[in-house]
Amino acid sequence: MTTLKTLRASTALCFIAALSACNSATPAANMTAPATTPATMVATSGMTPTAATTNNFVTAFDASNTQLATTTPMTGTANYTGEVEVHTTTSRTDPDNVVYGDLAMDVNFGGAASPITATVSNIEGRIGGVDTKVTGTLSSVGSSGINQVVALPVLGTTATSIAVRADGALADPTGTLTGNAQMTFAGTVRGTNGASITGSNSVVITETGGANKFNTGGRFYADR
């Protein structure tokens, strides 16, 4: 096991700010927003209507996010599970154009070359008002993106954050989230002994031919 890398505060804060900027990006200008239908549409293929799924995500996210940031040094390893949301239009409140995926994250706070293993799977929701399942799994394993735990001194305490990227190929019937995807997470460790991690995600999807097709994002939460 290698020693955990230490970043100067200025570098770490700039990095987190950069990811937040990415998360504010909107889909490509030439992309036409799909037509929407009422959120009460009955789900197909055994899926839960996204209006209810959205409420469940918001409730779980808020419960994790309202915890104060962890101020004690984190040690050892921890396993987290939660969810990630991805918006498919410029709107961040439209239940007809958002999908959700299961998030699993193992974090080694004790130090490692790649301290975080993250996967996103079982992605489904609504695109253009239609219940849609997105095939494919995103994983940090094999990714060349950022992967680190950042611990910073703050007024005699320690604030801990994480940053990690998960890659993979996605496909859906609408073609909206179809292509090679890169999802980058930036989050804050919260609660007693790091009970939760919450933050934002940025998603870039590239078509097989290499053209940047989609730039979007959302939020995530993960609990121990």
Side-chain angles (χ1 to χ4, degrees):
M1 182 179 296
T2 58
T3 302
L4 178 65
K5 299 178 181 178
T6 301
L7 295 181
R8 287 186 295 182
S10 60
T11 302
L13 293 177
C14 285
F15 171 74
I16 297 301
L19 283 182
S20 296
C22 288
N23 186 53
S24 65
T26 58
N30 61 0
M31 185 173 184
T32 301
T36 61
T37 57
T40 55
M41 171 184 277
V42 176
T44 59
S45 304
M47 292 174 57
T48 301
T50 299
T53 305
T54 296
N55 293 336
N56 292 339
F57 173 86
V58 171
T59 298
F61 175 86
D62 287 346
S64 299
N65 198 52
T66 53
Q67 299 177 86
L68 297 177
T70 304
T71 56
T72 55
M74 296 294 299
T75 59
T77 60
N79 307 115
Y80 293 85
T81 57
E83 291 180 285
V84 58
E85 71 174 358
V86 175
H87 299 280
T88 60
T89 66
T90 58
S91 172
R92 292 298 185 261
T93 59
D94 181 3
D96 278 335
N97 288 287
V98 59
V99 298
Y100 301 90
D102 293 331
L103 172 63
M105 191 178 298
D106 297 331
V107 183
N108 182 343
F109 294 104
S114 296
I116 305 170
T117 300
T119 59
V120 178
S121 59
N122 301 320
I123 303 170
E124 61 182 45
R126 287 166 76 86
I127 300 178
V130 178
D131 294 295
T132 305
K133 291 190 176 183
V134 182
T135 61
T137 297
L138 306 181
S139 175
S140 63
V141 178
S143 171
S144 59
I146 193 74
N147 187 323
Q148 60 189 13
V149 175
V150 180
L152 297 176
V154 179
L155 300 176
T157 65
T158 300
T160 304
S161 60
I162 64 98
V164 63
R165 193 181 87 184
D167 300 342
L170 301 179
D172 76 85
T174 73
T176 303
L177 298 178
T178 298
N180 296 316
Q182 298 175 351
M183 180 179 290
T184 304
F185 302 90
T188 300
V189 178
R190 299 182 177 278
T192 303
N193 197 32
S196 302
I197 303 175
T198 64
S200 61
N201 74 79
S202 296
V203 181
V204 176
I205 295 181
T206 304
E207 294 178 302
T208 303
N212 185 0
K213 178 182 180 181
F214 206 68
N215 190 345
T216 183
R219 301 171 294 176
F220 78 93
Y221 74 89
D223 302 320
R224 294 182 73 160

